[in-house]
Amino acid sequence: MPLVLYVLALAVFAQGTSEFMLSGLVPDIARDLQVSVPAAGALTSAFAVGMIVGAPLMAVVGLRWSRRRALLVFLVVFLLVHVVGAVTTSFPLLLATRVVAALANAGFLAVALATASALAGPRATGRATSILLGGVTAACVAGVPAGALLGQWWGWRSAFWAVAAVSLPAVVAIVRSVPGDAAHADGTRPATGAAGTPGPAVAPGPAAEPAGTPRSAGGTGARAELRALRSTRLVVTLVLGALVNGATFCTFTYLAPLVTSVSGIGHAWVPAVLALFGIGSFLGVTLGGRFADTRPLPLLVGGGTALLVGWGVFAVTAQNPVTALVLVLVQGTLSFAVGSTLIARALYEATGAPTFAGACATAALNVGAAAGPWLGGLAISAGFGYRSPVWVSALLVAFALAVAALATGLRRVGAGRRTEAAAPTA
C-alpha cells in the first residue's frame, strides 16, 4: 500500500479523536464556559449533524478541486477551527467551530476514500478502506482516552490543541505525498505511478485505468457522479451500512453503564473496557481489509449472522463479567469487519462516482451513529434498563439481514423475468 494512505489515516485519526473525545470533556467544558451539561452535550450532536449534512455538500465542493487541494483545504480548516476552539471563551463560537470541523471532516473523509481507492491499485479498495478506517479505530483505542487524560491534567482546551498538533504533520505530508490529479483544460488528467507520484498526462476513458478501479474525481463532474449513484445495489449497501453502524454505536454509547451496572465491573476498569472494544474494532477493519476485495459475500453473510447472534448472547449474558468482556472484543471485531466491508462495496458499486460514493458512505455511517444511540436512549428511558440497547443492536442487525435478503430475492426475481423475456427473441 502507498505510504500516502497511512498519512491520510493519521489525519483520520485526528478527526476521529475530535469526534469522540468530547464524551470525557463535556463536564469541564460546561463548568468553564458556564453552561449546563446538556447544553455542552449539544457539541457532540452538532458534530454528528455536520457530518451528515456536510458529506454530500463538501463532496460537491471537492469535485471542483484536485484531490490534493481538496484534502489540504479541508484539513487546514479542520486544524484552524480547533485552534479557535482551544482559545475561545464563547460557547456559541465553540459550537460553531464544531459544525465547521464536522463539515471539514466530512469533506476530507469523502475525498480521502476516493483518493485511497485510486492510489491502492485495481481491486484493492477494501484494503485501502481498512487503512483509513484504522485511523478511526486507533482514535477509539488511543486518541479518545488520551484526550480524556489531557483534559484531566491540563484542562479540556489541551485536547483541542493536541488534535490541531496531530493534524499538522498530516498537512505537511499531504503536500509532499498526494499527487495533484486535477483535470487539465484539455480534458486530460495526471496519471499516478506505482509510488503515487504524478506521471504523464493521460486522456480519461476506459483505457486510462484498470477495470473496477474508482475513477478520479477530477475527470467527472457533479452531474456525472450523481447519475452514477442511481444504483439500487448502492442504496441497499448504504442502508445496510447505516443499520450495522447504528447497532454498533447503540451499544458502544451505553457500554460504560452496561458493564458497571449489569456486569458488575468497577468504574476504574471502564477505560480498559472501552479500549478492548477499540482493539476489536482495529482487528475488524484489518479483517475487512483482508477479505473485502476477494471474498466480501462470505464475510458479510457470515459476519452479519455472527453479529446478530453475538448481540443476542451479549444481551442474555451481560451479567457475567467474563462473558461481557469477551463479547465486547468479539462484537467490536465483527461490527467493524462488516461495516468496513460495506463501505468498500459502496465504492465498488459506484466506480463512476468515487467522491460522492465516499460522501454517501460517510453520511450513512453517521446516520447510524446518530440514530443508534438515540434508539438505545429511548429504550433506557422507557424503563428497560441498560441491557436494552444491546437488544436494540440485535434488532437493527436483524433488520439489516432482512433488508439484504429481500434485496437479493427481488434481484433474482428481476433477473429471472429478464431471462424469460429474452428467451423468445433468442
Side-chain angles (χ1 to χ4, degrees), residues 19 22 26 38-53 95 98-99 102 366 369-370 373:
E19 182 175 4
L22 289 188
V26 164
L43 295 171
T44 301
S45 301
F47 198 98
V49 172
M51 286 287 289
I52 295 170
V53 175
L95 185 65
R98 298 305 292 168
V99 175
N366 280 277

Side-chain angles (χ1 to χ4, degrees), residues 69 166 327 345 384:
R69 181 180 180 186
V166 172
L327 287 172
R345 298 320 303 171
F384 294 111

